[in-house]
């Protein structure tokens, strides 16, 4: 028996409907995805709060997702979470793009309106010092599997105190699959 064009259309339409049904069944509903994202964001907020408040070393921290995030009228920045630092949208975008491209060390890093000079580059981290003559301080940028951690510190904290603390924080994020 030979299928004509109408039969071919029916068969391909049926296959498409089956594929869509399979994808619909296997994909969680949008509310579940939003709830999971909100839960993950709350967990990260707790970690950032602990990093900044539980010590007198880290002054501020911001978390940026490595995957692109769409901005909306209510969310104008790509910053996922920040505490103690006011990372502007253009600063966050520049840090993220340059870190992913491996060029963050080639120029000054700007965060919260301050300028930092990169002093050390590691495979997954970049460290810099504040260029202001008014105070000493620095910036630490660490890339995990899915996030970018940007942390700042000011005197009396020293790089030898701040860097290990932020690196441990990034390791904790990696251990919970971030």
């Amino acid at each position: 028996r030979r299928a004509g064009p109408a039969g071919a259309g029916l068969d391909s339409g049926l296959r498409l409907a089956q594929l869509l049904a399979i994808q619909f069944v296997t994909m969680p509903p949008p509310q579940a995805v939003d709830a999971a994202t909100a839960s993950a964001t709350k967990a990260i907020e707790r970690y950032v709060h602990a990093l900044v408040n539980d010590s007198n070393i880290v002054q501020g921290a911001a978390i940026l997702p490595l995957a692109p995030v769409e901005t909306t009228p209510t969310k104008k920045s790509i910053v996922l979470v920040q505490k103690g630092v006011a990372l502007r949208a253009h600063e966050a975008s520049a840090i993220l793009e340059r870190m992913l491209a491996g060029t963050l060390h080639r120029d000054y890093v700007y965060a919260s309106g301050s300028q930092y000079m990169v002093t050390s580059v590691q495979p997954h981290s970049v460290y810099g010092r504040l260029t202001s003559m008014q105070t000493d301080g620095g910036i630490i940028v660490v890339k995990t599997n899915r996030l970018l951690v940007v942390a700042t510190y000011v005197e009396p904290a020293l790089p030898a105190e701040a860097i290990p603390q932020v690196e441990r924080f990034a390791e904790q994020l990696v251990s919970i699959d971030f």
Side-chain angles (χ1 to χ4, degrees), residues 96-119:
L96 182 62
E97 289 170 11
R98 290 174 50 206
M99 186 69 171
L100 291 175
T103 60
L104 189 61
H105 65 283
R106 292 189 182 163
D107 198 2
Y108 292 109
V109 177
Y110 295 90
S112 298
S114 298
Q115 181 182 38
Y116 298 88
M117 181 174 67
V118 174
T119 57

Side-chain angles (χ1 to χ4, degrees), residues 55-111:
S55 74
N56 294 327
I57 297 171
V58 176
Q59 174 194 13
I63 305 294
L64 311 174
L66 294 180
V69 174
E70 291 184 27
T71 57
T72 64
T74 57
K75 183 171 175 56
K76 298 185 185 325
S77 177
I78 62 167
V79 177
L80 190 61
V81 176
Q82 62 183 344
K83 174 119 177 106
V85 64
L87 201 57
R88 298 177 182 126
H90 69 277
E91 294 170 338
S93 295
I95 290 171
L96 182 62
E97 289 170 11
R98 290 174 50 206
M99 186 69 171
L100 291 175
T103 60
L104 189 61
H105 65 283
R106 292 189 182 163
D107 198 2
Y108 292 109
V109 177
Y110 295 90

Side-chain angles (χ1 to χ4, degrees), residues 118-153:
V118 174
T119 57
S120 181
V121 178
Q122 302 298 321
H124 69 284
S125 306
V126 173
Y127 314 127
R129 70 175 178 83
L130 188 60
T131 59
S132 169
M133 295 300 209
Q134 298 168 348
T135 186
D136 276 341
I139 190 166
I140 304 161
V141 182
V142 182
K143 186 173 95 171
T144 68
N145 298 333
R146 296 173 26 194
L147 301 172
L148 194 66
V149 178
V150 179
T152 59
Y153 61 93

